[in-house]
Each structure stands twice: as structure tokens, then as C-alpha cells.
Amino acid sequence: MSASGSHSVSLAALAVLGCCVSFVATGCAQDLPDARVIISHRVLAIQTAVTASPFPDQAPDPDRPKAQALPFETVTITPYIVNELGIVDPDSLDVVWLACELTPGLGLFACISAATPVALEDIPDCTAPSFDALTGDELPELVSPCVIGREGTPEYVAPLSANVFVSGAIELTMIAGVPGGTSTDTCAAELLRGEYDLPNDCLYAVQRLNIGPVELLLSLAASFGLEIPGFEVPDPEDIPEPDHNPRISQVRVGVINDEGEQVGNAQIVPFGGVVSAPREVRLQVEVDSPEEDLQTFVIPVNNGESYEERDEAYQGDWYRTWGELLSGTSDDPMSYNQWVLTQGEQDETEAPVDGRARMYYVVRDGRQGVNWFWFEVEVTEPEPAP
């Protein structure tokens, strides 16, 4: 069953627990498995990234794409799926994606939950919005839920509806089976029947796609000579910056001693790179996310009568396939952790089975922005003492 942090969450866990953690019960007298140890397929996060825009001044930035989309913009939806052998190509799985409209105040899974029971074959395909809707007397109502597609990393055109103008959002739901396990169709059927006891090997995850900012949409519509009834065009200084995904600028890995002192030089590691280190050593892993990427944003308070400014803040989550971690989370622009290459309490072998241990890292910005990283350690035998 998929597990995750604050944005991509296990649907089964939400349905049963109403929270953002998933687990598998193993008996009253046994400890729960460590959610930070990856032993099978898991969805750790979902990223929404605007990759195409019909608006000339809104060309996507490939280095730091928007996590928030305006209506008519194309969003690429990418799940971060891993297992004990590394990162999993989403397109290697049979994945179904659903979109469902969230009205203000509703939490994740509320929309698809309200739509159950429903059969997958009875859910229509999502359709792209038309610019003609901006010139009509009324904005269209969305068909919800709808099927985005059946592929690992689909594209989705952000919709237009009245809900957009009251801070609405889209609930994106991922459903997938894994090779040799329960089929995707069965996984979907169980969830969409409203079952709570879902197959443990199914992958379920959900992510919010915020639509807007509405002030920017109103301004862009006005530039095309369009006026949306009931709304005034904001002054340029009142248009907030869209929510962007955070970046990971550098990852360094080095050996430290028991006093936390660096032994030799740290190594800069590329995405999916390999580091070699002997068993029993302690590694320090440092991940840099630029502090200047953190945005200031406003949220409505007092039922929308006023607004408060908030600052984004990084939240890092760490996972591994073997060994012991100093911590499971971190919250600094330079996020760091210590990883001891020794058999952990839930590791069945003295060394990784295939000789390599994997580390997975997810960083979130406190809104919908997310990014990730992973690398491998080739674990060698320690040199014999002289």
C-alpha cells in the first residue's frame, strides 16, 4: 500500500484513519513496520508541473515549473514510485488517473469518496476546457470525477469552472497494481466500491492541484478583452505569484566518524548516482534546496473577510532500503541526515541482498510544491583490522 507525506497520501489510510499515514497491521504483539524502510512498491509523492501554457507571458520554466495551474494550461502529473531496487518508471506500470473537483474546505479524498460507489467503466473521460466558456453568461460545470488517462505520467489540461473563482482545486487520484500482484482493474474496483479493506499490494495516492491564482486569470482574460461577470480586474501589484515546485540544487555524501567529523572529502552525487562505502561506516547526506525559492503567500481568514501572509517552509522526508537513519525528517534549506551502513532492526540480512542500499528523499514547500532525489550506495566489506 502506498505511503506518503502531507500531500500524496494513502487513500486506504485516509478512509480508515482520516489522516496522512498508512501502515499494515502485523499483530497486536508486534511492532508496526518502519514506514521509512522501503521493501516493496511505494508512492512517496506526486508532482504537478505546468509544461505548456496558451498564455504568451506564462511560458513554463523547466528548471522550476509551477505546481499551480491556470485554466487551459497543461499539467504533467508525475508520481515518485520506488521499491527496494530503486526508482520505478511510472510508465512501466498500469496506472489509472482520476480528476475530481474539490470545493473550498474539502480535504483530499473527499471528492472521490463522495462519488463512490461507482464503476471505473462508468466514469467519463476528462475533457479540455474551451475559451468560449469565458464569453458565456455562465461558467461550465465540471463532470466529476473523470478519467485523465491510463498511463504513468499523464498530461491534464486544467479545467475552468465557477469553482476556480472561489479557491477550488482538483483532486488527482492515482490507482495502480504492481507486477505479479492485484490487477489495476481490481484495485480500482475495490476503491470505487467504497471498500475499506483494500488489497495491500495496490498503489493508491492522491494529490491536490490548485487552480489559479484567480487574480492572474482575471488579468490575463482582460488582456484578451474578456470580462468575467462579477469580478474586477486586480491591480498588477495585487496579483500573487503562482506556487512553484522547489528545486534540489546539490546533494553531497561523505563519511563521518562517531564524533560527527568529516573523514576525507564529501562527494557530489547526481540523481540516481552510486557511491561506494564499506559496511558499518556512517554517512552524512546533505541536500541543498535554495532558500530563495521559498515563497510568501496569503490565505483567507475569517471566512474570507481578510487575508494573512504566510511563508513557505521546507519539509524533507527520508527513506532507505537498508541500514539505520538518524532521523526521518528535516526542515532546513540545507537538509541533512546521517545514514549508518549497518543492519537495522527490521533488516533481515547483515548486508544488502544485492550489495546496494538505496536512499530516497522528498522535499515539500508547505503548499503543493514537491521535488525528490535518490541515490545508491555500493556496500563493500570493511577492511580487516591491522
Side-chain angles (χ1 to χ4, degrees):
M1 187 177 298
S2 75
S4 62
S6 59
H7 297 284
S8 171
V9 297
S10 163
L11 297 187
L14 279 171
V16 177
L17 303 174
C19 65
C20 299
V21 202
S22 70
F23 63 82
V24 179
T26 58
C28 297
Q30 301 180 24
D31 292 335
L32 294 174
D34 186 347
R36 302 287 171 177
V37 179
I38 304 298
I39 59 175
S40 59
H41 283 72
R42 292 266 295 279
V43 186
L44 299 184
I46 295 173
Q47 185 188 75
T48 57
V50 173
T51 50
S53 177
F55 306 110
D57 295 336
Q58 298 298 311
D61 180 356
D63 294 325
R64 191 168 171 246
K66 294 190 299 182
Q68 182 180 23
L70 292 166
F72 312 106
E73 290 188 322
T74 300
V75 178
T76 298
I77 307 169
T78 306
Y80 184 34
I81 307 173
V82 303
N83 64 17
E84 69 277 15
L85 298 178
I87 192 170
V88 176
D89 180 0
D91 292 319
S92 69
L93 302 177
D94 179 17
V95 185
V96 171
W97 290 94
L98 305 176
C100 205
E101 190 172 36
L102 283 173
T103 55
L106 290 182
L108 288 173
F109 191 48
C111 183
I112 199 70
S113 179
T116 60
V118 62
L120 179 61
E121 57 268 24
D122 293 334
I123 300 177
D125 292 338
C126 300
T127 58
S130 169
F131 276 96
D132 293 339
L134 287 173
T135 61
D137 294 332
E138 294 184 359
L139 293 171
E141 293 186 5
L142 295 187
V143 176
S144 185
C146 62
V147 177
I148 297 172
R150 193 154 184 164
E151 56 185 305
T153 53
E155 289 187 339
Y156 174 62
V157 180
L160 175 70
S161 72
N163 192 44
V164 169
F165 296 92
V166 289
S167 303
I170 301 298
E171 177 185 271
L172 303 173
T173 301
M174 171 193 160
I175 307 171
V178 298
T182 306
S183 72
T184 298
D185 286 319
T186 300
C187 293
E190 292 286 306
L191 176 70
L192 296 174
R193 274 200 298 264
E195 298 289 345
Y196 290 102
D197 188 14
L198 300 173
N200 285 333
D201 61 343
C202 291
L203 301 179
Y204 302 108
V206 62
Q207 170 74 13
R208 180 189 300 268
L209 171 64
N210 284 335
I211 308 298
V214 64
E215 296 89 346
L216 181 56
L217 177 61
L218 293 170
S219 176
L220 290 169
S223 70
F224 286 95
L226 300 175
E227 293 185 7
I228 300 176
F231 294 92
E232 295 182 0
V233 179
D235 294 329
E237 62 269 18
D238 293 331
I239 300 175
E241 183 183 15
D243 182 17
H244 287 261
N245 285 297
R247 290 178 292 173
I248 294 176
S249 55
Q250 190 178 92
V251 176
R252 299 175 298 278
V253 179
V255 176
I256 60 173
N257 58 27
D258 291 340
E259 285 73 42
E261 300 168 333
Q262 186 83 46
V263 179
N265 295 321
Q267 177 179 344
I268 298 175
V269 184
F271 184 86
V274 180
V275 174
S276 182
R279 190 163 49 84
E280 306 297 338
V281 305
R282 183 183 300 268
L283 299 178
Q284 178 148 306
V285 184
E286 300 174 348
V287 183
D288 290 346
S289 291
E291 188 168 9
E292 59 269 22
D293 283 0
L294 294 172
Q295 300 172 267
T296 299
F297 60 101
V298 296
I299 62 169
V301 295
N302 299 324
N303 295 319
E305 294 179 2
S306 59
Y307 293 84
E308 285 186 1
E309 282 195 350
R310 299 286 177 87
D311 293 323
E312 292 181 338
Y314 287 128
Q315 173 68 47
D317 288 293
W318 303 81
Y319 306 86
R320 81 284 190 190
T321 60
W322 181 89
E324 294 185 341
L325 285 178
L326 175 67
S327 175
T329 60
S330 51
D331 59 5
D332 293 318
M334 190 188 81
S335 180
Y336 82 95
N337 210 335
Q338 293 181 11
W339 186 15
V340 184
L341 301 181
T342 189
Q343 183 176 3
E345 291 183 0
Q346 298 190 19
D347 295 329
E348 296 181 354
T349 57
E350 188 178 32
V353 174
D354 63 348
R356 294 198 175 189
R358 284 95 186 172
M359 173 170 281
Y360 308 108
Y361 175 76
V362 178
V363 63
R364 295 182 171 86
D365 62 9
R367 291 199 283 171
Q368 306 307 312
V370 64
N371 212 331
W372 50 72
F373 192 90
W374 81 287
F375 70 96
E376 298 181 311
V377 175
E378 182 183 26
V379 181
T380 62
E381 286 300 311
E383 296 182 3

